[in-house]
């Protein structure tokens, strides 16, 4: 098996990546500028795109999906990706082989923050109503 994972290579199952020695594996090709073979089967170097560019590539990958949505749903999708942009620094720090996981977790984090805020406001309203 080629040590550089190809974007459409279905011969590598995602769960199998955890079993691989990741010190010699490349991140998916669409997230790299270069991925070259070195001596033997070891990868000698890789240049990983900045996470902000990886995020923009993901946005572009989903543009056909976006185009198929109703206009109001397109705005919601855009907002989801905006929420992911709030956590670019965490994405850089995490440096995960599948950046979309980081993007989804960033979106979930923002949703959790909004949910906690809404619960807090609801609780305050309920307490105010009970005092009457």
């Amino acid at each position: 098996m080629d040590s550089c994972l190809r974007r459409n290579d279905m011969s590598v199952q995602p769960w199998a990546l955890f079993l691989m020695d990741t010190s010699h594996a490349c991140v998916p090709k669409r997230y790299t500028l270069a991925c070259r073979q070195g001596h033997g089967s070891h990868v000698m170097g890789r240049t990983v795109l900045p996470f902000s560019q990886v995020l923009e590539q993901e946005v572009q990958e989903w543009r056909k999906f976006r185009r198929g949505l109703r206009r109001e749903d397109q705005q919601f999708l855009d907002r989801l990706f905006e929420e992911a942009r709030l956590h670019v620094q965490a994405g850089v720090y995490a440096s995960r082989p599948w950046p979309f996981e980081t993007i989804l977790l960033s979106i979930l984090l923002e949703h959790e923050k909004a949910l906690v805020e809404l619960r807090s406001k609801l609780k305050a309203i309920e307490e105010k109503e009970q005092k009457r």
Side-chain angles (χ1 to χ4, degrees):
M1 174 173 42
D2 188 357
S3 64
C4 294
L5 300 175
R6 289 202 172 44
R7 182 172 165 214
N8 295 321
D9 184 5
M10 298 307 289
S11 65
V12 178
Q13 298 296 322
W15 56 266
L17 294 173
F18 295 108
L19 305 175
M20 294 172 54
D21 178 9
T22 57
S23 63
H24 301 298
C26 285
V27 294
K29 192 163 182 130
R30 70 175 165 176
Y31 302 125
T32 60
L33 294 173
C35 185
R36 56 189 182 272
Q37 291 293 118
H39 301 298
S41 64
H42 299 296
V43 175
M44 294 302 289
R46 63 180 178 209
T47 305
V48 179
L49 288 174
F51 189 76
S52 58
Q53 289 181 15
V54 169
L55 180 57
E56 289 309 313
Q57 283 184 349
E58 279 296 334
V59 170
Q60 292 305 312
E61 289 285 324
W62 288 95
R63 74 174 174 243
K64 285 185 179 179
F65 175 80
R66 183 185 183 280
R67 209 172 310 145
L69 296 172
R70 291 177 291 167
R71 182 147 332 266
E72 61 269 14
D73 290 339
Q74 289 178 1
Q75 293 172 353
F76 286 115
L77 182 65
D78 293 343
R79 286 175 39 191
L80 291 177
F81 280 116
E82 286 301 319
E83 290 175 349
R85 286 183 181 96
L86 296 174
H87 301 282
V88 168
Q89 290 299 75
V92 169
Y93 188 72
S95 187
R96 308 264 312 166
W98 304 104
F100 197 66
E101 292 173 344
T102 304
I103 293 167
L104 290 177
L105 201 56
S106 297
I107 293 168
L108 285 172
L109 179 63
E110 287 301 310
H111 281 206
E112 181 65 19
K113 288 167 46 179
L115 187 60
V116 167
E117 182 181 345
L118 288 172
R119 283 180 180 157
S120 174
K121 287 180 180 181
L122 181 60
K123 185 177 179 181
I125 290 171
E126 288 173 345
E127 289 173 354
K128 196 176 192 181
E129 289 293 319
Q130 286 179 352
K131 290 181 181 178
R132 288 185 180 190

